Amino acid sequence: MILILKGGVTDEQVDHVIERVEAMGLKAHLSRGTFRTIVGIIGDESKIVVESVRSIPGVAQVVPVLPPYKLASREAHPESSVIDVGGVKIGGGHIGMIAGPCSVEEEDRMHRIAEQVAKAGANIFRGGAYKPRTSPYAFQGLGEAGLKRLREVGDAHAMPVVTEVTDPRLVELVAEYADMLQVGARNMQNFALLNEVGASKRPVLLKRGMSATVTDLLMCAEYILSKGNPNVVLCERGVKGFDPATRNLFDVAAVPLVQQLSHLPIIVDPSHATGKPELIPACAMAGLAAGADGVHVEVHDCPEVAKSDGPQALLPEQYAELASQLKSLATLLGKTVSPLPEKTA
Ligand code: PEP
Ligand code: MN
């Protein structure tokens, strides 16, 4: 960490800054220039409380050298992490293809959609049993019955399943049924929920909040990692933009940026990012081309009766066409779409 001192700082203030640094068990390296005095702090940065250091008289600016997300950073872990989701690998050249309806719906429909997306090349089936809706009057999900249905459908088609958990009190229950726990955009900074999924051993799909910076996203991943769960996959799903022409603003640059900063895999969700089926294939391909470790797409066989997010769903045949293009692109990039795990039942 580097402390830039104020212009006109007195000798007494400089001595005091050094005393404070040494009192924290760290070494201070003083560098006096013509216009500026700088103190380099040498030692374990985690011992430093930035706010306290910034309050020392004479300190103008505190510049951390290491990122505040220690465990999530690539410095801490230069190799890209590969996360195993019920036998399907994501990261390090393995592409996750998550597909399924927004909500868990009728049993026969779930089977139909699962069969079609699996045939197309999807390797993880999705569906929300607990839905975070803007309106309390909108469909809230089928709850535990939905979890049970998702599990049964996943098993019948040999697909691992991912579903959202919206409440820390539900983590244990959702983890009983799901191979992967989704923390949605609206809950990205629900720290009680992050701590709880961190205590679970299930892989976590952490979606970027709609107003969250990349640093915010990585700090939230840090919560989960620091609780002992290393299995985190990040997801870029669009941030709030100014133009209502698309549901959100797809931040494709976040993908290579996160990969520079962190070893964690990052996938893209062009469904929530655009909200428009006609824009999803192009954005899915752009995400993969930008280096994403997977693509998450909502698929429904009759969007007009969907319980949620129908207007943004791809039809199964549209998904099949996209999946085939994604597979070709993955091959071109020297990556592979992870196969489905062997059927055990
Ligand atoms: C979802 O996956 O259906 C969902 C609600 O996503 P997000 O949290 O990204 O809005
Ligand atoms: Mn949705």
Side-chain angles (χ1 to χ4, degrees):
M1 188 167 289
I2 294 161
L3 309 183
I4 302 171
L5 305 190
K6 288 178 181 158
V9 67
T10 64
D11 288 348
E12 288 73 24
Q13 284 177 321
V14 173
D15 289 347
H16 181 64
V17 169
I18 292 170
E19 261 169 48
R20 278 276 181 237
V21 170
E22 289 175 349
M24 288 186 272
L26 299 158
K27 279 195 178 149
H29 182 272
L30 181 66
S31 166
R32 273 193 183 277
T34 316
F35 300 105
R36 276 280 189 246
T37 300
I38 283 169
V39 176
I41 305 183
I42 300 149
D44 182 1
E45 265 194 17
S46 66
K47 290 185 183 165
I48 308 169
V49 181
V50 176
E51 280 79 11
S52 309
V53 174
R54 199 176 282 136
S55 314
I56 305 174
V59 172
Q61 226 181 313
V62 178
V63 186
V65 174
L66 292 174
Y69 40 85
K70 212 172 172 177
L71 300 171
S73 76
R74 203 172 266 285
E75 269 143 347
H77 191 297
E79 288 278 296
S80 294
S81 284
V82 180
I83 310 299
D84 187 301
V85 182
V88 168
K89 290 190 171 76
I90 303 182
H94 304 277
I95 302 296
M97 298 266 278
I98 302 178
C102 182
S103 294
V104 175
E105 302 196 10
E106 309 91 297
E107 193 178 347
D108 54 343
R109 186 185 302 286
M110 294 299 282
H111 278 290
R112 264 197 318 271
I113 300 174
E115 188 179 355
Q116 286 168 304
V117 296
K119 196 164 157 235
N123 47 27
I124 298 175
F125 190 52
R126 68 147 282 147
Y130 295 94
K131 296 303 302 174
R133 305 305 298 277
T134 303
S135 164
Y137 309 116
F139 176 66
Q140 302 287 310
L142 297 176
E144 189 171 356
L147 293 177
K148 198 159 176 281
R149 183 169 299 166
L150 184 69
R151 177 77 271 163
E152 284 168 4
V153 172
D155 285 346
H157 301 275
M159 294 181 91
V161 295
V162 58
T163 194
E164 180 160 355
V165 55
T166 50
D167 186 318
R169 294 166 295 187
L170 290 170
V171 169
E172 215 174 302
L173 178 74
V174 176
E176 265 177 50
Y177 291 99
D179 299 287
M180 186 180 219
L181 308 173
Q182 175 174 320
V183 173
R186 289 155 194 81
N187 265 313
M188 186 199 81
Q189 283 182 315
N190 180 338
F191 301 115
L193 182 61
L194 297 178
N195 284 334
E196 212 53 48
V197 298
S200 153
K201 293 293 162 264
R202 288 276 184 235
V204 177
L205 180 63
L206 178 64
K207 298 185 97 178
R208 180 180 181 182
M210 47 263 265
S211 305
T213 64
V214 164
T215 302
D216 292 335
L217 173 64
L218 292 172
M219 288 307 286
C220 290
E222 189 78 6
Y223 263 86
I224 302 169
L225 300 177
S226 69
K227 286 287 163 186
N229 187 349
N231 303 308
V232 178
V233 175
L234 305 170
C235 180
E236 164 55 40
R237 48 76 74 206
V239 290
K240 281 256 181 255
F242 59 86
D243 188 346
T246 56
R247 184 174 179 185
N248 287 292
L249 192 63
F250 182 40
D251 183 7
V252 74
V255 172
L257 178 58
V258 163
Q259 287 173 334
Q260 274 177 21
L261 300 172
S262 175
H263 56 90
L264 297 173
I266 178 163
I267 68 166
V268 291
D269 170 2
S271 298
H272 293 88
T274 66
K276 294 201 164 159
E278 61 274 27
L279 304 181
I280 291 169
C283 290
M285 294 292 275
L288 198 64
D293 300 291
V295 178
H296 167 289
V297 175
E298 287 186 347
V299 179
H300 199 284
D301 61 352
C302 187
E304 65 197 56
V305 300
K307 297 275 193 292
S308 60
D309 282 350
Q312 72 189 28
L314 284 193
L315 293 167
E317 50 273 28
Q318 292 172 320
Y319 181 72
E321 195 184 336
L322 170 60
S324 135
Q325 290 170 354
L326 288 169
K327 262 186 271 181
S328 305
L329 181 55
T331 307
L332 196 68
L333 296 167
K335 298 180 176 183
T336 46
V337 173
S338 305
L340 283 179
E342 295 288 314
K343 231 179 192 162
T344 45

